[in-house]
């Protein structure tokens, strides 16, 4: 394998700095790998903060990305932002530097050298087209500003309002016993309401698609039907194959129910039901409304915890 000289490393660092100045302002906010002030932590934080209500995860693993990066596609992508042909030829020579095996030089027709100074930013440039494709898909899929009202919740809410009026009427008539009876009914109805969301969790007019990428690992979150999630996966596979000449590993690709969870960037992600109560004003009076959301939890895989504990002597060996 060819080891770059100090001059080669210096030249690569200069090229990397120039590419950074060109591309950092236009890279997608959903891209977190090998970028300033971005990391696995920012990617996971974005998912934890924004992916509320996700029903399905779409996971896909690009097969041999570093080895299958097409040089012609990469150079065409670079040519959209860079007009200096000499600069582009310099990058092309870097890509085609080749490698040594058994003291014989072999040319490289695809891929970027793993561990190369320029390789991370070139990988981001290569996948920038995919980022833009996903941004367009997110905009096209998103539908509705808020969920429709959930009928069982608002039926109970209406019943509680009627009971409160009866309580008020009974108190005005001095009938305390009847007022206490209506209050007990109100408490019973409020307990039933506590188990029901205010918005319809399966509203077909409310759709959302989320996207997050770290290097060649990416994950999609879908608020919609399972059929729509599979359709999104097919569009992703088609774009990667037709536009970037990349394939996904079939055994690591699919649609997963959010409650079952997926593993992304070393963490297990799965949704759980959480609830909060907010005050809203209706008909000149304030009332409490229960909002039920499916939020995500990030868990460290158990096997990693066990490995860490054994390594540091926190558990007795078997």
């Amino acid at each position: 394998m060819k080891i770059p000289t100090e001059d080669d490393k210096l030249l690569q660092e200069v090229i990397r700095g120039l590419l950074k100045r060109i591309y950092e302002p236009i890279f997608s906010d959903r891209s977190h790998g090998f970028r300033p002030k971005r990391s696995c932590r920012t990617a996971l934080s974005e998912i934890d903060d924004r992916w509320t209500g996700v029903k399905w995860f779409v996971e896909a693993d690009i097969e041999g990305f570093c080895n299958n990066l097409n040089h012609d596609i990469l150079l065409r992508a670079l040519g959209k932002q860079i007009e200096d042909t000499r600069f582009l030829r310099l990058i092309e020579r870097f890509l085609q530097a080749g490698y040594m095996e058994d003291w014989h030089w072999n040319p490289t027709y695809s891929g970027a050298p793993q561990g190369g100074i320029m390789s991370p930013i070139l990988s981001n440039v290569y996948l920038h087209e995919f980022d833009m494709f996903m941004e367009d898909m997110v905009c096209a899929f998103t539908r509705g500003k808020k969920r429709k009202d959930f009928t069982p919740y608002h039926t109970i809410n209406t019943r509680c309002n009627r009971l409160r009026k009866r309580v008020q009427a009974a108190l005005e008539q001095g009938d305390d016993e009847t007022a206490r009876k209506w209050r007990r009914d109100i408490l019973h109805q409020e307990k039933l309401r506590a188990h029901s969301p205010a918005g319809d969790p399966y509203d077909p007019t409310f759709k959302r698609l989320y996207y997050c990428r770290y290097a060649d690992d990416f994950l999609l979150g879908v608020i919609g039907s399972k059929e729509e999630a599979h359709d999104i996966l097919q569009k992703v596979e088609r774009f990667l194959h037709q536009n970037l000449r990349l394939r996904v590993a079939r055994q690591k690709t699919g649609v997963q129910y959010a409650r079952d969870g997926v593993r992304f960037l070393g963490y297990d992600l799965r949704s759980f039901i959480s609830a909060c109560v907010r005050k809203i004003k209706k008909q000149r009076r304030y009332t409490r409304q229960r909002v039920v959301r499916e939020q995500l939890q990030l868990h460290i895989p158990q096997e990693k915890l066990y490995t860490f504990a054994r390594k540091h002597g926190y558990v007795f060996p078997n």
Side-chain angles (χ1 to χ4, degrees):
M1 182 176 183
K2 182 179 178 181
I3 301 175
T5 65
E6 293 301 322
D7 289 342
D8 290 337
K9 292 180 180 178
L10 178 60
L11 179 59
Q12 290 182 35
E13 181 60 34
V14 171
I15 295 174
R16 189 195 67 82
L18 292 172
L19 291 175
K20 176 182 173 183
R21 293 289 298 272
I22 296 170
Y23 281 97
E24 272 302 322
I26 65 173
F27 276 155
S28 169
D29 289 337
R30 307 283 80 80
S31 170
H32 294 266
F34 310 114
R35 296 184 59 193
K37 298 181 180 179
R38 290 173 178 265
S39 61
C40 292
R41 181 175 180 179
T42 60
L44 293 169
S45 295
E46 177 188 328
I47 293 174
D48 188 39
D49 294 340
R50 298 186 57 195
W51 291 30
T52 300
V54 165
K55 300 292 184 184
W56 305 97
F57 286 123
V58 178
E59 56 177 343
D61 184 80
I62 298 177
E63 199 171 50
F65 172 73
C66 291
N67 296 327
N68 294 316
L69 188 149
N70 186 282
H71 292 171
D72 292 334
I73 293 176
L74 175 59
L75 291 170
R76 283 199 299 270
L78 290 167
K80 294 179 181 179
Q81 300 295 329
I82 302 171
E83 296 180 356
D84 190 336
T85 56
R86 292 177 301 176
F87 187 62
L88 293 175
R89 282 200 300 268
L90 186 61
I91 296 176
E92 183 179 12
R93 290 177 181 176
F94 162 76
L95 293 171
Q96 297 177 351
Y99 64 95
M100 295 292 292
E101 185 176 2
D102 295 330
W103 298 102
H104 292 287
W105 178 82
N106 297 275
T108 51
Y109 300 104
S110 64
Q114 297 188 27
I117 296 173
M118 292 165 46
S119 297
I121 193 166
L122 289 177
S123 298
N124 278 333
V125 171
Y126 195 86
L127 290 173
H128 179 63
E129 294 292 325
F130 178 61
D131 292 340
M132 295 299 98
F133 168 76
M134 287 307 309
E135 295 280 1
D136 292 340
M137 186 181 289
V138 167
C139 293
F141 187 80
T142 300
R143 192 184 311 162
K145 292 184 178 180
K146 60 175 291 186
R147 299 180 189 272
K148 289 182 178 179
D149 293 339
F150 193 45
T151 302
Y153 177 93
H154 290 279
T155 299
I156 296 174
N157 210 39
T158 301
R159 192 175 299 139
C160 288
N161 291 334
R162 290 175 181 172
L163 290 171
R164 290 190 184 95
K165 291 180 180 179
R166 293 181 182 179
V167 169
Q168 186 64 29
L171 291 175
E172 290 175 356
Q173 296 174 5
D175 191 350
D176 294 340
E177 184 64 30
T178 301
R180 283 195 293 270
K181 175 182 177 298
W182 295 133
R183 285 197 180 108
R184 287 195 295 270
D185 288 345
I186 290 173
L187 290 175
H188 175 68
Q189 294 298 323
E190 287 179 341
K191 288 180 180 179
L192 294 177
R193 187 178 61 182
H195 297 283
S196 178
D200 186 355
Y202 297 99
D203 179 8
T205 64
F206 185 84
K207 308 286 184 184
R208 291 293 185 271
L209 173 62
Y210 300 103
Y211 165 68
C212 183
R213 179 175 69 83
Y214 183 90
D216 59 330
D217 292 329
F218 65 90
L219 184 69
L220 309 180
V222 180
I223 300 178
S225 66
K226 187 175 183 180
E227 290 73 20
E228 289 170 323
H230 278 289
D231 182 58
I232 290 170
L233 177 58
Q234 290 177 1
K235 290 179 180 178
V236 166
E237 291 182 2
R238 191 181 308 121
F239 179 88
L240 289 173
H241 178 63
Q242 295 179 354
N243 296 74
L244 300 180
R245 300 294 185 268
L246 296 173
R247 297 181 181 274
V248 297
R250 183 56 52 190
Q251 66 275 15
K252 299 180 181 179
T253 299
V255 175
Q256 297 290 337
Y257 187 40
R259 300 256 185 105
D260 296 335
V262 295
R263 183 164 297 181
F264 183 62
L265 300 180
Y267 282 80
D268 289 335
L269 280 65
R270 64 176 62 91
S271 68
F272 73 104
I273 297 295
S274 69
C276 64
V277 178
R278 64 183 180 184
K279 283 187 177 181
I280 61 171
K281 189 175 183 180
K282 285 187 177 180
Q283 298 177 351
R284 295 183 298 179
R285 66 176 295 173
Y286 285 94
T287 182
R288 293 190 303 171
Q289 185 179 78
R290 178 182 172 86
V291 182
V292 177
R293 296 190 177 101
E294 286 192 72
Q295 294 185 333
L296 294 181
Q297 285 182 333
L298 277 67
H299 299 271
I300 301 175
Q302 286 190 355
E303 60 269 22
K304 289 190 175 182
L305 288 175
Y306 293 152
T307 301
F308 178 86
R310 290 192 183 97
K311 180 179 178 181
H312 293 82
Y314 296 139
V315 293
F316 292 103
N318 294 331

